[in-house]
Amino acid sequence: YQRRVHGKVVLDMAQRGIREYDAKRLLARFLPEYLNEFSYNGDLALVGPETDLEELVSTHPWLKTARLVVKPDQLFGKRGKHGLVLLDADWDRAKKFLQENMGAQVAVGGITGRLSHFLIEPFIPHEEEFYVAISSDNDGDNIFFSMQGGVFVEENWDKVIRFHVDVLDGMDSIDIKSRLPEDLGEKSSAIENFVKALWRFYAETGFSYLEINPFTFHNGSIVPLDMVAKLDDAEEYWQRKRWSGLAFPEPFGRSLSKEEQFIKDLDSKTGASLKLTILNPEGRIWTMVAGGGASVIYADTICDLGFAKEMANYGEYSGDPNTEETYYYTRTILDLMTRRIDPSGKMLLIGGAIANFTDVAKTFKGLVMALEEYQQKLQDAGVKIYVRRGGPNYEPVSYTHLRAHETREDLVCRLLLEKKK
């Protein structure tokens, strides 16, 4: 599935935004593997609500000697346009800025939230601002470059150059230098090498979107000034070493409910994957889907059939959770969906692919324990339960309305929801 953002085609995969702090740390650590002359050292400090500023200075002594930039680091852009960036400041001004703005409520792009995390880095005097971004589509990756970077790059999108990296041909078939503006002069070779190295870094670190706007030259070397990055969730296993220690914060303006936080805490203590996002607590269609890919299929099909407003939650349980973990996950969903009674009744879709290694009998034992506990509440709420699942130790179960483990997942949704229409 694709969407267009500022003229760029972006593939809607499972994307997880990361802080600018983490994106620049990854860049400083791994880009030199592809570009020897990249000398950005990644002097960065992240400040949260619990940060001890005196201890921070002892860890990062450059905070007291360098001129500084301070800005929110919470997955939203246009911080300068909203007056939320402090430039060319000393440590005393930086501390005052943090004290005045930590916890402040602001509105950005129609979304209201509180400022809770700030990035501090050295201020880089500069005159030139360049733009580079990389996104993915069905045929490969797209690289975008402009000499007119900064806050007005969108207004000057007609000046952006696009390079397409074919999924089979790779970077070697692309002549970047010949298409770069002649006005770059002696910087042309440096930018060509930087763009090529940046794409390799993007491809081999599991990114789904990467933007540096702007970057500049300082003492002859390229320095990233502002950075936006999203990672491809499907790469988590393969990138476990590079992604070690990364945080995946919630989007700006969104705070976790008690139930979402409970599942997040449960997920942090297990080798399995347990995810839950409440979309509409009054929705009539609830899902409990095994597997990230399956959860996308179910969600897409529900929306395609016109039930997007009725979709109550999105999430997954996968990676062979044990009986207890499945019980707690199921109980949380059942508790949420039975709190309000809808005259039209509700539906619970318990689905997933045919498992390769997840012990279906073990997970279903926990699921059945929760169903039995909530039996009366489920009946009172008029909940109908449908199951599509198979795998190791699978046996047909009597409490399902549909035994469809051999039916394609999207067709299961269509059969059930079209019947409900």
Side-chain angles (χ1 to χ4, degrees):
Y1 298 94
Q2 297 178 359
R3 55 189 170 90
R4 187 167 292 274
V5 180
H6 307 313
K8 306 184 287 289
V9 174
V10 180
L11 188 66
D12 270 335
M13 57 185 73
Q15 303 182 42
R16 304 173 73 181
I18 60 174
R19 299 193 192 279
E20 182 178 359
Y21 168 77
D22 283 324
K24 286 182 173 176
R25 284 199 310 146
L26 286 172
L27 191 75
R29 182 177 178 186
F30 295 112
L31 191 64
E33 294 183 8
Y34 313 98
L35 187 65
N36 290 332
E37 58 266 33
F38 186 68
S39 58
Y40 173 68
N41 60 15
D43 282 340
L44 304 158
L46 183 66
V47 179
E50 308 300 323
T51 300
D52 184 322
L53 295 182
E54 297 307 316
E55 185 177 329
L56 190 71
V57 169
S58 65
T59 306
H60 304 284
W62 53 267
L63 289 170
K64 280 202 168 182
T65 58
R67 304 300 293 180
L68 304 172
V69 175
V70 187
K71 52 190 172 182
D73 195 358
Q74 293 179 239
L75 309 190
F76 66 84
K78 297 182 173 59
R79 294 166 292 187
K81 286 186 176 181
H82 287 86
L84 297 174
V85 179
L86 177 67
L87 297 171
D88 196 14
D90 60 17
W91 175 236
D92 289 335
R93 279 188 65 203
K95 283 198 300 183
K96 183 179 179 182
F97 180 83
L98 289 167
Q99 291 162 357
E100 291 173 347
N101 288 279
M102 183 66 74
Q105 183 170 292
V106 297
V108 179
I111 299 174
T112 300
R114 293 195 178 276
L115 301 179
S116 61
H117 288 79
F118 293 81
L119 172 64
I120 309 176
E121 58 187 340
F123 173 73
I124 305 296
H126 63 279
E127 295 181 0
E128 297 175 307
E129 293 188 335
F130 303 95
Y131 170 87
V132 66
I134 308 176
S135 64
S136 300
D137 63 24
N138 289 331
D139 300 317
D141 300 319
N142 297 293
I143 302 173
F144 304 90
F145 171 79
S146 176
M147 289 182 63
Q148 299 188 23
V151 295
F152 297 110
V153 67
E154 294 171 13
E155 287 86 338
N156 294 285
W157 196 254
D158 58 316
K159 297 180 174 63
V160 174
I161 303 168
R162 172 181 175 267
F163 306 92
H164 184 74
V165 185
D166 186 82
V167 69
L168 296 177
D169 296 338
M171 177 62 72
D172 294 336
S173 62
I174 299 175
D175 182 5
I176 291 178
K177 191 171 184 178
S178 67
R179 294 184 57 197
L180 292 176
E182 292 183 2
D183 293 345
L184 286 174
E186 61 184 18
K187 294 185 175 71
S188 181
S189 293
I191 288 179
E192 177 193 14
N193 293 335
F194 175 65
V195 168
K196 287 182 175 180
L198 190 67
W199 176 79
R200 290 187 171 90
F201 165 72
Y202 172 94
E204 295 181 20
T205 311
F207 286 96
S208 57
Y209 182 72
L210 181 66
E211 178 182 278
I212 304 177
N213 183 36
F215 70 88
T216 193
F217 282 82
H218 183 65
N219 295 330
S221 299
I222 288 176
V223 179
L225 300 181
D226 283 316
M227 196 166 174
V228 176
K230 295 181 180 181
L231 297 173
D232 178 3
D233 200 24
E235 289 273 349
E236 185 172 10
Y237 174 79
W238 306 106
Q239 299 293 343
R240 59 193 182 280
K241 290 184 179 179
R242 287 200 172 189
W243 292 7
S244 177
L246 291 184
F248 296 96
E250 295 299 317
F252 178 70
R254 185 179 188 278
S255 56
L256 295 179
S257 68
K258 181 181 70 174
E259 294 77 17
E260 289 169 327
Q261 186 63 54
F262 173 74
I263 297 301
K264 185 175 182 179
D265 292 342
L266 192 64
D267 178 67
S268 68
K269 299 170 185 174
T270 175
S273 178
L274 302 169
K275 304 290 187 292
L276 176 64
T277 299
I278 307 303
L279 304 175
N280 175 14
E282 297 185 5
R284 294 189 301 119
I285 300 173
W286 293 74
T287 61
M288 186 175 158
V289 182
S295 66
V296 173
I297 292 172
Y298 275 72
D300 282 352
T301 307
I302 291 169
C303 294
D304 287 346
L305 291 171
F307 288 92
K309 292 182 179 179
E310 295 287 355
M311 189 172 171
N313 69 306
Y314 178 79
E316 64 162 302
Y317 71 106
S318 59
D320 199 21
N322 62 36
T323 298
E324 183 180 23
E325 291 161 352
T326 309
Y327 163 73
Y328 282 121
Y329 187 85
T330 309
R331 191 181 70 172
T332 301
I333 291 176
L334 298 184
D335 180 61
L336 285 164
M337 74 180 301
T338 56
R339 289 179 185 177
R340 300 175 180 86
I341 294 178
D342 190 298
S344 300
K346 297 184 179 182
M347 175 185 294
L348 174 62
L349 302 178
I350 301 172
I354 298 175
N356 292 318
F357 63 89
T358 295
D359 189 332
V360 174
K362 182 173 64 178
T363 56
F364 264 69
K365 181 179 179 181
L367 192 150
V368 171
M369 287 167 57
L371 287 172
E372 290 176 342
E373 182 178 328
Y374 276 80
Q375 180 178 356
Q376 189 58 54
K377 289 185 177 181
L378 290 166
Q379 291 175 348
D380 293 343
V383 176
K384 293 184 178 180
I385 302 170
Y386 301 89
V387 177
R388 189 273 187 196
R389 187 65 165 140
N393 296 322
Y394 164 81
E395 289 183 13
V397 284
S398 60
Y399 55 83
T400 63
H401 288 268
L402 176 69
R403 299 191 185 101
H405 65 283
E406 294 180 357
T407 304
R408 233 173 56 193
E409 291 164 283
D410 59 326
L411 293 180
V412 171
C413 286
R414 289 185 183 278
L415 288 169
L416 297 175
L417 295 178
E418 287 178 344
K419 179 180 179 181
K420 195 170 184 63
K421 276 187 174 181

